[in-house]
Amino acid sequence: KQEVTQIPAALSVPEGENLVLNCSFTDSAIYNLQWFRQDPGKGLTSLLLIQSSQREQTSGRLNASLDKSSGRSTLYIAASQPGDSATYLCAAFSRGSGNTGKLIFGQGTTLQVKP
Amino acid sequence: KAGVTQTPRYLIKTRGQQVTLSCSPISGHRSVSWYQQTPGQGLQFLFEYFSETQRNKGNFPGRFSGRQFSNSRSEMNVSTLELGDSALYLCASSLSTKGGSYGYTFGSGTRLTVV
């Protein structure tokens, strides 16, 4: 059974810092991993999608890596800004039978970037 | 292009009532998944529909049901509401049931409060 864990649960940094959010998963047979951002009371915004055959994906100041052998993914945020304050969720896509599957989410890391 | 649209945004219901939530996926997306988000349990998979057929189901009681129409719009129904059903219900769409290939796009959610 796939389990996804995110550490730390909360993080507070001063503006301008580079930071790393961690995500670990127990079953290395994932199809892919997706990082999301959630603002309070809102839905999820997709940030990056990494296929199982890929090692990393980049979008602007964000870089996500995937290491299936160790069951880990990291989200690197460069030059953090107050607008980056949100909860960041990672989700592993686990395949079931008949080409179906579902996202297994971590509990999230709540990031606060102080001006 | 239009994103995933969920209606209504907020609902307040009384215990024992039933409720129906609606989700319109991104145009061209045929897969619709539903997730429940609570502070205690985080994000949990409810079910997935593709081409009007339920392809996958999470570990929720039979009071939770859904359906998908020929235009890919989906509805989720919860009967005999309980206080514990209070949650943010999120809908996600993807191009196919191999959702991992393309990732998921989420709506803004429906906030259900049961009193």
Side-chain angles (χ1 to χ4, degrees):
Chain A
K1 176 186 173 185
Q2 179 74 273
E3 292 182 3
V4 179
T5 304
Q6 291 186 249
I7 295 173
L11 184 62
S12 181
V13 300
E15 181 178 3
E17 271 204 9
N18 302 323
L19 56 100
V20 174
L21 307 182
N22 296 296
C23 172
S24 61
F25 46 92
T26 55
D27 185 356
S28 62
I30 63 170
Y31 197 73
N32 63 37
L33 188 137
Q34 198 166 357
W35 282 92
F36 296 91
R37 167 187 172 138
Q38 185 174 34
D39 293 288
K42 302 296 178 86
L44 306 183
T45 300
S46 179
L47 298 174
L48 290 165
L49 170 68
I50 312 176
Q51 302 293 348
S52 61
S53 59
Q54 299 175 319
R55 294 299 298 269
E56 65 179 76
Q57 281 286 338
T58 299
S59 176
R61 295 183 294 108
L62 305 179
N63 176 278
S65 67
L66 176 64
D67 184 343
K68 287 179 58 179
S69 62
S70 66
R72 293 181 58 188
S73 176
T74 61
L75 179 66
Y76 174 82
I77 303 177
S80 58
Q81 303 170 357
D84 294 331
S85 299
T87 295
Y88 291 81
L89 295 146
C90 71
F93 183 77
S94 291
R95 295 285 291 274
S97 59
N99 285 330
T100 64
K102 59 184 178 183
L103 290 172
I104 306 296
F105 283 87
Q107 292 292 326
T109 294
T110 299
L111 171 66
Q112 181 184 35
V113 181
K114 298 179 179 178
Chain B
K1 60 182 179 180
V4 179
T5 303
Q6 291 189 246
T7 56
R9 290 295 310 277
Y10 303 94
L11 269 176
I12 300 176
K13 290 287 187 179
T14 304
R15 275 181 299 174
Q17 288 187 315
Q18 75 166 18
V19 66
T20 299
L21 314 181
S22 178
C23 172
S24 294
I26 290 173
S27 178
H29 285 196
R30 298 167 65 189
S31 169
V32 174
S33 300
W34 289 89
Y35 289 80
Q36 180 196 65
Q37 185 177 31
T38 59
Q41 299 298 317
L43 277 148
Q44 293 185 291
F45 172 76
L46 281 157
F47 28 65
E48 177 185 20
Y49 287 86
F50 182 82
S51 293
E52 303 178 63
T53 301
Q54 187 181 90
R55 293 298 181 94
N56 201 4
K57 188 177 189 307
N59 189 26
F60 278 82
R63 299 185 298 106
F64 291 81
S65 64
R67 59 177 175 169
Q68 187 179 33
F69 301 95
S70 58
N71 62 357
S72 294
R73 189 177 72 86
S74 176
E75 288 182 347
M76 189 191 93
N77 185 76
V78 187
S79 63
T80 318
L81 284 166
E82 301 177 358
L83 294 178
D85 296 333
S86 295
L88 180 65
Y89 289 88
L90 292 162
C91 166
S93 77
S94 180
L95 273 174
S96 75
T97 53
K98 294 181 183 180
S101 297
Y102 307 103
Y104 289 88
T105 301
F106 280 78
S108 298
T110 294
R111 171 74 63 184
L112 172 64
T113 302
V114 182
V115 297

